[in-house]
Amino acid sequence: MSRTATLTLDGKTIELPVFEGSEGEVGIDITQLRAQTGAIAYDPAFGNTGACKSAITFIDGDKGILRYRGIPIEQFVDSPNFIEVAQLLINGKLPAQEELVRFRARLTANAHVHEGMRHHFEGFPPEAPPMAILSAMINALFCYDPHFSVESDEEFEDAAASLLSKVRTIAAYTYRKSNGLPFMYPDPNLRYCGNFLHMMFSMPYERYEVAPEVEEALNLILILHADHEQNCSTSTVRVVGSSRANLFASVSAGVCALWGPLHGGANVAVMEMLDQIHRGGLAPEQCIKMAKDKSSGFKLMGFGHRVYKNFDPRARVLKDSCDKVLAKLGKKDPLLDIARKLEELALNDPYFVDRKLYPNVDFYSGIILRAMGIPLNMFTVMFAIGRMPGWIAQWKEQHDDSSVRIARPRQIYTGNKLTDYVPLAKRK
Ligand code: CMC
């Protein structure tokens, strides 16, 4: 017999279908709730709402588990290859050798941006935030390819490769523009991460030699950010996509959602916090005290998560990698010691323990990005490059599901009852 949940409202009882996901997660189907009772479910911030069924990423926040298409993220650590992970997320399976080669060729063929687009960069002021430029330029991509189609597998693969490849070029150009540096064209002989580093740091008269350690570290960072099921930016991509908006427009909206300091922007906020402590402006103990004081408006950035009530597995990997990466790069970073001190204080403080607040992905990622020479204002852009496969995969999964309707939440109205219009002359 199929399982149901029973709801009684104003003496009327209804049965709501119950279903299970492949890892045993239980969902109560309330799609007929309003039709049957006249009431709606109230769940601001969607903490208890499943907005879709998805086969892409699995998270168990209580156990600290994150899997891409069933594979634990820890298994990608020793042989990181961001493009393989991107194909896994987007296509649902790891690519065979010839699929990888074909996709790589598509990435290379799509690495450039239209020359006309290069002039768009001129319109931004020097201080323009890179996330604003990134979002605007991704949206502008559609203007240069208005007939793009994703209906056949071939077309979709080309669109996905185009977006993955061009976002890297746009991100590097954003940095070059804000520093008054000449744009460097992509090099077809370099792999995904190496090519990005080349476009960021080479000069026309001096080529940047991509160190394998830096390329490997970047690969790892991108992989760990590649998807995270229905977070704020991914939900944004799906909401925009549900109106049948194109892939570029949907992803461009995702970039805006990611920008906020409670989401992807936290990696910048963490480094600013650590730097402030390092420069003596704030003691770690004082930082913890302020974070516990709600009236301070201060949060321990890089701590806490809506879903993880245990260590964020991405933070665990990054914490372990920090020492390794810094040693390989021959660097020391006092901010790492400060981060460790803050973590130790927080994990022994009842405020954080009781609320199950642990370090999240942003707590340690900045230290690795900094060691690689990535400037602070590009940190959230790096998150966006990493998240691109996830956004594309989620957009595609929704696009292919013919049962999907436009996202349109309801509300509980709390404003005036029926009120008459008062002409200006009679208003007090
Ligand atoms: N510092 C101090 N207190 C915190 C923090 C923090 N970083 N995070 C949560 N709390 C408190 C919060 O005030 C609340 O306390 P109380 O129960 O007394 O009201 C309790 O912990 C539960 O928190 P919440 O605000 O209900 O949690 P949420 O699920 O709404 O928010 C969060 C999750 C990530 C936005 C939040 O933990 C936060 O603001 N953290 C700092 C920003 C950050 O690091 N963001 C990156 C998230 S991971 C990357 C990504 O996927 O975006």
Side-chain angles (χ1 to χ4, degrees):
M1 211 175 76
S2 53
R3 249 167 113 190
T4 56
T6 307
L7 174 80
T8 304
L9 181 68
D10 298 335
K12 183 182 173 194
T13 296
I14 61 164
E15 299 294 325
L16 298 165
V18 171
F19 63 97
E20 263 188 39
S22 50
E23 290 286 346
E25 281 174 315
V26 177
I28 301 174
D29 180 346
I30 59 161
T31 48
Q32 296 307 310
L33 179 67
R34 187 166 172 277
Q36 292 186 12
T37 65
I40 60 170
Y42 178 63
D43 185 24
F46 312 127
N48 302 282
T49 297
C52 61
K53 291 178 184 169
S54 177
I56 302 169
T57 290
F58 172 68
I59 298 177
D60 183 330
D62 295 323
K63 295 190 182 134
I65 290 173
L66 169 60
R67 297 182 197 144
Y68 297 155
R69 299 282 186 185
I71 304 176
I73 51 146
E74 292 79 6
Q75 293 189 16
F76 298 109
V77 173
D78 290 330
S79 53
N81 183 335
F82 176 59
I83 292 310
E84 265 185 75
V85 171
Q87 284 185 281
L88 168 71
L89 288 167
I90 294 170
N91 301 331
K93 64 177 184 63
L94 285 166
Q97 181 64 25
E98 68 275 12
E99 291 166 326
L100 190 57
V101 169
R102 193 184 62 214
F103 197 65
R104 282 227 165 93
R106 284 192 196 278
L107 289 171
T108 302
N110 281 290
H112 63 286
V113 292
H114 192 287
E115 282 296 304
M117 269 191 85
R118 286 181 32 153
H119 300 299
H120 288 263
F121 285 96
E122 300 309 322
F124 292 103
E127 296 301 316
M131 286 297 273
I133 303 180
L134 185 69
S135 172
M137 296 302 274
I138 290 176
N139 210 2
L141 281 174
F142 186 74
C143 307
Y144 289 89
D145 194 5
H147 305 297
F148 107 108
S149 165
V150 291
E151 295 321 314
S152 71
D153 288 351
E154 177 99 350
E155 287 169 333
F156 177 73
E157 186 170 282
D158 207 43
S162 177
L163 192 43
L164 275 173
S165 200
K166 287 188 192 334
V167 75
R168 164 189 63 166
T169 309
I170 292 171
Y173 281 10
T174 301
Y175 166 74
R176 306 290 294 200
K177 155 75 187 158
S178 64
N179 286 277
L181 300 170
F183 295 149
M184 295 300 299
Y185 283 103
D187 178 344
N189 298 312
L190 293 173
R191 307 256 299 252
Y192 190 87
C193 291
N195 214 342
F196 171 73
L197 294 164
H198 154 71
M199 287 188 277
M200 282 283 287
F201 300 125
S202 281
M203 293 299 275
Y205 49 85
E206 189 179 16
R207 196 179 166 83
Y208 171 87
E209 287 309 323
V210 182
E213 299 80 25
V214 178
E215 195 172 4
E216 206 178 290
L218 180 55
N219 245 311
L220 179 64
I221 294 259
L222 297 185
I223 288 173
L224 293 177
H225 287 86
D227 193 45
H228 213 234
E229 53 120 300
Q230 308 312 316
N231 56 82
C232 178
S233 55
T234 302
S235 300
T236 302
V237 170
R238 279 192 179 254
V239 168
V240 176
S242 78
S243 74
R244 300 280 179 264
N246 70 70
L247 178 63
F248 300 111
S250 306
V251 166
S252 148
V255 171
C256 293
L258 187 71
W259 190 358
L262 296 189
H263 193 9
N267 57 14
V268 174
V270 170
M271 293 308 278
E272 286 169 347
M273 180 182 78
L274 296 178
D275 197 46
Q276 204 189 343
I277 295 173
H278 179 55
R279 283 186 284 105
L282 188 67
E285 291 76 9
Q286 189 192 351
C287 181
I288 295 289
K289 201 169 156 201
M290 275 166 63
K292 295 192 289 183
D293 174 8
K294 297 278 192 294
S295 66
S296 73
F298 179 88
K299 281 185 164 187
L300 185 57
M301 299 312 283
F303 254 74
H305 199 275
R306 170 63 57 80
V307 180
Y308 293 119
K309 301 302 167 197
N310 198 323
F311 239 93
D312 176 338
R314 303 166 298 175
R316 204 189 291 275
V317 170
L318 285 172
K319 183 183 175 187
D320 292 347
S321 299
C322 271
D323 276 330
K324 228 166 63 183
V325 172
L326 262 58
K328 274 189 184 172
L329 297 176
K331 296 198 175 174
K332 277 198 166 26
D333 193 339
L335 298 199
L336 179 57
D337 298 330
I338 296 171
R340 289 213 178 95
K341 176 74 185 164
L342 281 177
E343 181 186 320
E344 185 196 317
L345 289 171
L347 296 184
N348 286 298
D349 188 307
Y351 174 94
F352 294 90
V353 174
D354 294 350
R355 290 171 178 75
K356 299 186 174 154
L357 301 172
Y358 290 85
N360 60 50
V361 68
D362 293 315
F363 197 63
Y364 287 107
S365 62
I367 291 172
I368 297 183
L369 289 172
R370 191 163 110 124
M372 289 164 44
I374 305 290
L376 184 65
N377 70 350
M378 288 291 287
F379 280 15
T380 314
V381 170
M382 303 309 294
F383 193 149
I385 300 175
R387 186 53 54 86
M388 202 53 64
W391 287 335
I392 295 171
Q394 302 269 351
W395 185 93
K396 168 85 167 130
E397 185 176 63
Q398 175 173 272
H399 177 81
D400 288 350
D401 181 352
S402 57
S403 71
V404 167
R405 299 165 71 204
I406 188 168
R408 203 310 187 179
R410 290 191 171 257
Q411 64 167 15
I412 302 288
Y413 176 68
T414 59
N416 291 339
K417 293 257 193 198
L418 181 64
T419 306
D420 285 327
Y421 173 78
V422 180
L424 188 56
K426 292 193 177 169
R427 280 178 225 160
K428 289 193 187 123

Short mmCIF file of all heavy atoms in Angstrom, two decimals, residues 228 261-264 266 291 294 299-306 314 351-352 355 357 360-362 383, ligand 1:
data_model
loop_
_atom_site.label_atom_id
_atom_site.label_comp_id
_atom_site.label_asym_id
_atom_site.label_seq_id
_atom_site.Cartn_x
_atom_site.Cartn_y
_atom_site.Cartn_z
N HIS A 228 26.01 21.88 -5.75
CA HIS A 228 25.62 21.75 -4.34
C HIS A 228 24.11 21.73 -4.22
O HIS A 228 23.53 22.42 -3.39
CB HIS A 228 26.24 22.88 -3.52
CG HIS A 228 26.57 22.46 -2.14
ND1 HIS A 228 26.14 23.12 -1.03
CD2 HIS A 228 27.28 21.39 -1.69
CE1 HIS A 228 26.57 22.49 0.05
NE2 HIS A 228 27.26 21.44 -0.33
N PRO A 261 27.11 38.05 0.32
CA PRO A 261 28.06 37.57 1.34
C PRO A 261 27.57 36.36 2.14
O PRO A 261 28.37 35.69 2.79
CB PRO A 261 28.25 38.78 2.26
CG PRO A 261 27.09 39.67 1.99
CD PRO A 261 26.65 39.42 0.58
N LEU A 262 26.27 36.07 2.11
CA LEU A 262 25.82 34.87 2.82
C LEU A 262 25.99 33.63 1.95
O LEU A 262 25.84 32.50 2.42
CB LEU A 262 24.35 35.00 3.24
CG LEU A 262 24.04 36.11 4.24
CD1 LEU A 262 22.62 36.00 4.74
CD2 LEU A 262 25.02 36.12 5.41
N HIS A 263 26.29 33.83 0.68
CA HIS A 263 26.45 32.71 -0.26
C HIS A 263 27.90 32.75 -0.75
O HIS A 263 28.83 32.73 0.05
CB HIS A 263 25.40 32.88 -1.36
CG HIS A 263 25.17 31.70 -2.26
ND1 HIS A 263 25.71 30.47 -2.03
CD2 HIS A 263 24.46 31.58 -3.42
CE1 HIS A 263 25.34 29.64 -2.98
NE2 HIS A 263 24.58 30.29 -3.85
N GLY A 264 28.13 32.84 -2.05
CA GLY A 264 29.50 32.77 -2.57
C GLY A 264 30.39 33.91 -2.13
O GLY A 264 31.61 33.75 -2.03
N ALA A 266 30.86 34.93 0.63
CA ALA A 266 31.45 34.68 1.95
C ALA A 266 32.96 34.45 1.85
O ALA A 266 33.69 34.72 2.80
CB ALA A 266 30.76 33.49 2.62
N ALA A 291 30.57 37.47 17.22
CA ALA A 291 29.72 36.59 16.42
C ALA A 291 28.55 36.05 17.25
O ALA A 291 27.48 35.75 16.72
CB ALA A 291 30.54 35.45 15.84
N LYS A 294 24.14 38.95 19.00
CA LYS A 294 23.25 39.23 17.86
C LYS A 294 23.18 40.73 17.55
O LYS A 294 22.97 41.13 16.41
CB LYS A 294 21.84 38.71 18.13
CG LYS A 294 21.75 37.20 18.29
CD LYS A 294 21.68 36.52 16.93
CE LYS A 294 21.32 35.08 17.00
NZ LYS A 294 22.23 34.17 17.61
N LYS A 299 28.90 38.23 11.97
CA LYS A 299 28.82 36.77 11.94
C LYS A 299 30.22 36.22 11.75
O LYS A 299 31.08 36.89 11.16
CB LYS A 299 27.96 36.32 10.75
CG LYS A 299 26.48 36.43 10.99
CD LYS A 299 25.72 35.84 9.82
CE LYS A 299 24.28 35.59 10.19
NZ LYS A 299 23.55 34.87 9.16
N LEU A 300 30.43 35.01 12.21
CA LEU A 300 31.70 34.36 11.92
C LEU A 300 31.63 33.84 10.49
O LEU A 300 31.02 32.80 10.22
CB LEU A 300 31.94 33.21 12.92
CG LEU A 300 33.30 32.52 12.81
CD1 LEU A 300 34.45 33.51 12.96
CD2 LEU A 300 33.43 31.41 13.84
N MET A 301 32.22 34.62 9.59
CA MET A 301 32.08 34.28 8.17
C MET A 301 32.81 32.97 7.87
O MET A 301 33.87 32.69 8.44
CB MET A 301 32.61 35.42 7.28
CG MET A 301 31.87 36.72 7.47
SD MET A 301 30.06 36.57 7.43
CE MET A 301 29.73 36.39 5.70
N GLY A 302 32.20 32.16 6.98
CA GLY A 302 32.78 30.85 6.68
C GLY A 302 32.33 29.79 7.66
O GLY A 302 32.84 28.67 7.63
N PHE A 303 31.41 30.16 8.55
CA PHE A 303 30.86 29.19 9.51
C PHE A 303 29.36 29.07 9.33
O PHE A 303 28.68 30.05 9.05
CB PHE A 303 31.16 29.65 10.94
CG PHE A 303 32.23 28.83 11.59
CD1 PHE A 303 33.56 29.00 11.21
CD2 PHE A 303 31.93 27.88 12.55
CE1 PHE A 303 34.56 28.24 11.79
CE2 PHE A 303 32.92 27.12 13.14
CZ PHE A 303 34.24 27.29 12.76
N GLY A 304 28.86 27.87 9.52
CA GLY A 304 27.41 27.64 9.47
C GLY A 304 26.96 27.28 8.07
O GLY A 304 27.62 27.60 7.07
N HIS A 305 25.88 26.57 8.02
CA HIS A 305 25.33 26.17 6.72
C HIS A 305 23.88 25.76 6.89
O HIS A 305 23.54 25.16 7.91
CB HIS A 305 26.12 25.00 6.11
CG HIS A 305 25.93 24.86 4.65
ND1 HIS A 305 24.87 24.17 4.11
CD2 HIS A 305 26.63 25.37 3.61
CE1 HIS A 305 24.94 24.25 2.81
NE2 HIS A 305 25.99 24.98 2.46
N ARG A 306 23.05 26.09 5.91
CA ARG A 306 21.64 25.71 6.00
C ARG A 306 21.48 24.19 6.05
O ARG A 306 20.63 23.67 6.78
CB ARG A 306 20.90 26.30 4.79
CG ARG A 306 19.47 25.79 4.60
CD ARG A 306 18.53 26.15 5.75
NE ARG A 306 18.45 27.56 6.00
CZ ARG A 306 17.72 28.43 5.28
NH1 ARG A 306 17.02 28.01 4.27
NH2 ARG A 306 17.70 29.70 5.60
N ARG A 314 33.46 19.66 2.04
CA ARG A 314 34.35 20.45 1.18
C ARG A 314 35.37 21.18 2.03
O ARG A 314 36.55 21.31 1.67
CB ARG A 314 33.54 21.45 0.34
CG ARG A 314 32.47 20.79 -0.51
CD ARG A 314 31.49 21.81 -1.06
NE ARG A 314 30.76 22.50 0.01
CZ ARG A 314 29.92 23.51 -0.20
NH1 ARG A 314 29.70 23.95 -1.42
NH2 ARG A 314 29.29 24.10 0.83
N TYR A 351 28.02 28.07 22.07
CA TYR A 351 27.16 28.77 21.09
C TYR A 351 27.21 28.06 19.74
O TYR A 351 26.18 27.78 19.13
CB TYR A 351 27.63 30.23 20.95
CG TYR A 351 26.91 31.00 19.85
CD1 TYR A 351 25.79 31.79 20.14
CD2 TYR A 351 27.33 30.94 18.51
CE1 TYR A 351 25.12 32.48 19.15
CE2 TYR A 351 26.66 31.63 17.51
CZ TYR A 351 25.57 32.40 17.84
OH TYR A 351 24.90 33.08 16.84
N PHE A 352 28.41 27.76 19.28
CA PHE A 352 28.59 27.14 17.95
C PHE A 352 28.23 25.65 18.00
O PHE A 352 27.64 25.12 17.07
CB PHE A 352 30.03 27.35 17.45
CG PHE A 352 30.33 28.80 17.17
CD1 PHE A 352 30.85 29.63 18.16
CD2 PHE A 352 30.03 29.37 15.94
CE1 PHE A 352 31.09 30.97 17.93
CE2 PHE A 352 30.27 30.71 15.69
CZ PHE A 352 30.80 31.52 16.70
N ARG A 355 24.42 25.10 18.14
CA ARG A 355 23.76 25.43 16.86
C ARG A 355 24.32 24.63 15.69
O ARG A 355 23.95 24.85 14.55
CB ARG A 355 23.89 26.92 16.58
CG ARG A 355 23.07 27.78 17.52
CD ARG A 355 23.39 29.26 17.37
NE ARG A 355 22.56 30.09 18.24
CZ ARG A 355 22.73 30.20 19.56
NH1 ARG A 355 23.69 29.53 20.17
NH2 ARG A 355 21.92 30.97 20.28
N LEU A 357 27.24 24.72 14.26
CA LEU A 357 27.89 25.60 13.28
C LEU A 357 29.33 25.14 13.08
O LEU A 357 30.14 25.19 14.00
CB LEU A 357 27.87 27.05 13.77
CG LEU A 357 26.48 27.65 14.04
CD1 LEU A 357 26.59 29.02 14.72
CD2 LEU A 357 25.69 27.77 12.74
N ASN A 360 32.46 26.06 6.76
CA ASN A 360 31.92 25.68 5.45
C ASN A 360 33.01 25.88 4.38
O ASN A 360 34.13 26.27 4.69
CB ASN A 360 30.64 26.47 5.14
CG ASN A 360 30.86 27.97 5.12
OD1 ASN A 360 31.78 28.46 4.48
ND2 ASN A 360 30.02 28.72 5.84
N VAL A 361 32.66 25.62 3.14
CA VAL A 361 33.63 25.61 2.04
C VAL A 361 34.43 26.91 1.95
O VAL A 361 35.59 26.92 1.55
CB VAL A 361 32.92 25.31 0.70
CG1 VAL A 361 32.01 26.45 0.27
CG2 VAL A 361 33.90 24.96 -0.40
N ASP A 362 33.78 28.03 2.35
CA ASP A 362 34.44 29.32 2.18
C ASP A 362 35.49 29.61 3.24
O ASP A 362 36.24 30.57 3.12
CB ASP A 362 33.39 30.44 2.19
CG ASP A 362 32.49 30.34 0.97
OD1 ASP A 362 33.02 30.15 -0.12
OD2 ASP A 362 31.26 30.46 1.12
N PHE A 383 34.47 30.97 -7.56
CA PHE A 383 33.35 30.13 -7.12
C PHE A 383 32.39 29.96 -8.30
O PHE A 383 31.92 28.85 -8.61
CB PHE A 383 32.68 30.81 -5.92
CG PHE A 383 31.70 29.98 -5.13
CD1 PHE A 383 31.53 30.20 -3.77
CD2 PHE A 383 30.93 28.97 -5.72
CE1 PHE A 383 30.63 29.45 -3.01
CE2 PHE A 383 30.02 28.22 -4.97
CZ PHE A 383 29.87 28.47 -3.63
N1 CMC B 1 28.08 33.25 13.02
C1 CMC B 1 27.32 33.40 14.12
N2 CMC B 1 26.10 32.88 14.29
C2 CMC B 1 25.61 32.15 13.28
C3 CMC B 1 26.33 31.95 12.10
C4 CMC B 1 27.61 32.53 11.99
N3 CMC B 1 28.35 32.38 10.88
N4 CMC B 1 25.60 31.21 11.25
C5 CMC B 1 24.44 30.94 11.88
N5 CMC B 1 24.45 31.51 13.12
C6 CMC B 1 23.40 31.39 14.16
C7 CMC B 1 22.17 32.21 13.77
O1 CMC B 1 22.26 33.52 14.26
C8 CMC B 1 21.09 31.40 14.43
O2 CMC B 1 21.12 31.68 15.83
P1 CMC B 1 19.76 31.62 16.73
O3 CMC B 1 19.26 30.22 16.62
O4 CMC B 1 20.19 32.02 18.08
O5 CMC B 1 18.83 32.61 16.09
C9 CMC B 1 21.55 29.95 14.26
O6 CMC B 1 22.98 30.04 14.17
C10 CMC B 1 20.98 29.28 13.03
O7 CMC B 1 21.37 30.01 11.90
P2 CMC B 1 20.44 30.48 10.72
O8 CMC B 1 20.67 31.92 10.45
O9 CMC B 1 19.03 30.04 10.98
O10 CMC B 1 21.02 29.62 9.56
P3 CMC B 1 20.62 29.73 8.06
O11 CMC B 1 20.47 28.34 7.60
O12 CMC B 1 19.49 30.65 7.83
O13 CMC B 1 21.90 30.42 7.38
C11 CMC B 1 24.09 30.70 6.61
C12 CMC B 1 22.97 29.70 6.89
C13 CMC B 1 25.20 29.99 5.84
C14 CMC B 1 23.57 31.84 5.72
C15 CMC B 1 24.63 31.26 7.95
O14 CMC B 1 25.17 30.22 8.73
C16 CMC B 1 25.65 32.36 7.74
O15 CMC B 1 25.28 33.53 7.58
N6 CMC B 1 26.99 32.03 7.77
C17 CMC B 1 28.01 32.99 7.48
C18 CMC B 1 28.09 33.26 5.97
C19 CMC B 1 28.74 32.10 5.22
O16 CMC B 1 29.78 31.59 5.62
N7 CMC B 1 28.13 31.72 4.09
C20 CMC B 1 28.65 30.67 3.21
C21 CMC B 1 27.76 29.47 3.16
S1 CMC B 1 28.57 28.03 2.43
C22 CMC B 1 28.82 28.47 0.80
C23 CMC B 1 27.57 28.44 0.02
O17 CMC B 1 27.13 27.34 -0.34
O18 CMC B 1 27.02 29.52 -0.24
#
